[in-house]
Amino acid sequence: NWNSESAKNYTFTQGPGPSNALGRVKIMYPNKYLIYLHDTPAKSVFNQTDRAESSGCVRVENALDLAAYVVENQSEWTKEKIEKIVASGETTTVKVDRPIQVHHFYWTAWRAGGETVFVNDVYDLDEKIYSKLVT
């Protein structure tokens, strides 16, 4: 009975592995929106202009390269070591010992090839942003 109180006690999670929607690497960082960066097994989404496929988190095309960059100052974490751990399937948490700034930009229009490109405003923010710009 999904309307019962006991139904609230269930937690569904997808285990790690090659078909996990978050891919092989997840990069967590402090933010009030609980957004994180992650790999994906669905590499074809990077060929799309409109990529609103995730549930608020951000898919990274070259996640292993980004992970290696994030810890490049930590000599024990080489890209080769990261690749080895990923290949093993072992879940590993790495503490980053330097601050890294992450900026998220939400673009629904831009110029490319001399033309203006518009995409769907999936978060319905254009009107709100526009009203702040003209005020």
Side-chain angles (χ1 to χ4, degrees), residues 60-103:
V60 176
E61 187 168 9
N62 298 307
L64 288 178
D65 291 339
L66 180 59
Y69 167 75
V70 167
V71 294
E72 71 181 354
N73 67 317
Q74 296 172 235
S75 60
E76 69 274 22
W77 291 105
T78 64
K79 185 168 183 198
E80 293 75 25
K81 181 175 180 178
I82 294 168
E83 288 173 346
K84 185 177 179 180
I85 291 171
V86 167
S88 77
E90 177 185 334
T91 299
T92 304
T93 301
V94 177
K95 182 167 176 21
V96 178
D97 67 3
R98 67 177 173 146
I100 296 190
Q101 293 186 10
V102 178
H103 300 274

Side-chain angles (χ1 to χ4, degrees), residues 99-116:
I100 296 190
Q101 293 186 10
V102 178
H103 300 274
H104 292 275
F105 296 94
Y106 177 70
W107 300 103
T108 58
W110 61 88
R111 296 287 293 171
E115 297 182 22
T116 303

Side-chain angles (χ1 to χ4, degrees), residues 2 6-14:
W2 292 110
S6 64
K8 296 176 185 176
N9 295 324
Y10 288 101
T11 302
F12 294 93
T13 58
Q14 182 180 19

Side-chain angles (χ1 to χ4, degrees), residues 21-95:
L22 298 181
R24 303 162 299 161
V25 176
K26 180 170 72 169
I27 300 172
M28 307 280 300
Y29 52 95
N31 67 88
K32 67 181 181 178
Y33 303 106
L34 302 176
I35 298 172
Y36 51 85
L37 308 176
H38 66 87
D39 187 26
T40 180
K43 302 295 186 193
S44 64
V45 298
F46 297 112
N47 296 324
Q48 303 171 19
T49 301
D50 186 356
R51 299 194 330 229
E53 303 285 340
S54 295
S55 300
C57 294
V58 180
R59 293 175 191 233
V60 176
E61 187 168 9
N62 298 307
L64 288 178
D65 291 339
L66 180 59
Y69 167 75
V70 167
V71 294
E72 71 181 354
N73 67 317
Q74 296 172 235
S75 60
E76 69 274 22
W77 291 105
T78 64
K79 185 168 183 198
E80 293 75 25
K81 181 175 180 178
I82 294 168
E83 288 173 346
K84 185 177 179 180
I85 291 171
V86 167
S88 77
E90 177 185 334
T91 299
T92 304
T93 301
V94 177
K95 182 167 176 21

